[in-house]
Amino acid sequence: INATDVYRYVIRGRISSVYGLSPFAVAPSAVQAGDPFAALAGEWVSATSPYGPLWELAATAVTAVSGDNLLLGLLLFKGLGLISHLALTAMLWRGLAERAAGDRTSLTLLWAWNPALLLMFVVDAHNDVLMLLWLVAGWLLLRHGRALPGFLLMVLAPLTKPIALLALPFFWLAALRQKPTRAGRLRFAAATAV
């Protein structure tokens, strides 16, 4: 409705699924003559992908399924956004377990029915929702004392969208502080470095 990103997801996915090329090395303009949807890339037609490899793998899978059916491709991306939004809602519900039942329900519904989030994540199919999914899933593990798997799950966020790198140092420090001993902190630091 108000963003063309989902068209670019389809086009970049097709660069991999249809042409066998890398969206990190090849811009839509390189396949424009042979691709019926390349013109929909708009002002980004000459730009390679700014997203992470995990997102581009998802885009490749979606466009492998949708083929030359643009509507199906758009709906699959919107479906991925909806599923991710619902998963985030369930994680938020779980993360708010310590709250009173009324507060927990109100806060969860505030997230789930937020028109801005529904517009961004479902209608426009922005990939930020998948990036947030990894961060929140890792945060839940962190809250339950599982620092290493939680942080490693969070590392999938910048592999979806690189902007998530900004959040990782703060979560890393929070996970490090959970370790009661110096040896535990050193093992965590070594494991995450590897």
Side-chain angles (χ1 to χ4, degrees), residues 42 46 94 142 158:
S46 299
R94 183 177 170 135
L142 227 67

Side-chain angles (χ1 to χ4, degrees), residues 28 31 34 49 56 73 80 84 93 103 107 112 114 142 154 158 162 177:
V31 297
S49 177
E56 292 304 338
L80 177 60
S84 299
W93 174 262
D103 286 347
L107 291 170
N114 184 314
L142 227 67
M154 288 179 183
R177 290 184 62 199

Side-chain angles (χ1 to χ4, degrees), residues 86-178:
L86 292 173
L88 274 165
T89 300
M91 287 181 210
L92 181 61
W93 174 262
R94 183 177 170 135
L96 294 170
E98 299 157 359
R99 296 279 189 139
D103 286 347
R104 184 182 191 196
T105 301
S106 298
L107 291 170
T108 303
L109 289 176
L110 186 63
W111 170 270
W113 290 347
N114 184 314
L117 296 179
L118 291 170
L119 179 69
M120 292 291 291
F121 296 161
V122 182
V123 176
D124 292 342
H126 281 280
N127 56 10
D128 302 77
V129 67
L130 190 60
M131 174 191 71
L132 286 172
L133 182 80
W134 304 125
L135 290 174
V136 173
W139 168 74
L140 279 175
L141 288 174
L142 227 67
R143 288 192 60 199
H144 290 95
R146 304 200 49 197
L148 184 59
F151 184 76
L152 293 179
L153 195 56
M154 288 179 183
V155 170
L156 296 177
L159 294 175
T160 302
K161 193 166 185 175
I163 192 73
L165 279 170
L166 297 175
L168 288 185
F170 299 101
F171 284 117
W172 188 86
L173 287 172
L176 188 69
R177 290 184 62 199
Q178 281 186 356

Side-chain angles (χ1 to χ4, degrees), residues 175-176 179-190:
L176 188 69
K179 301 297 178 184
T181 65
R182 180 181 173 159
R185 288 189 293 276
L186 288 174
R187 278 194 303 275
F188 175 77

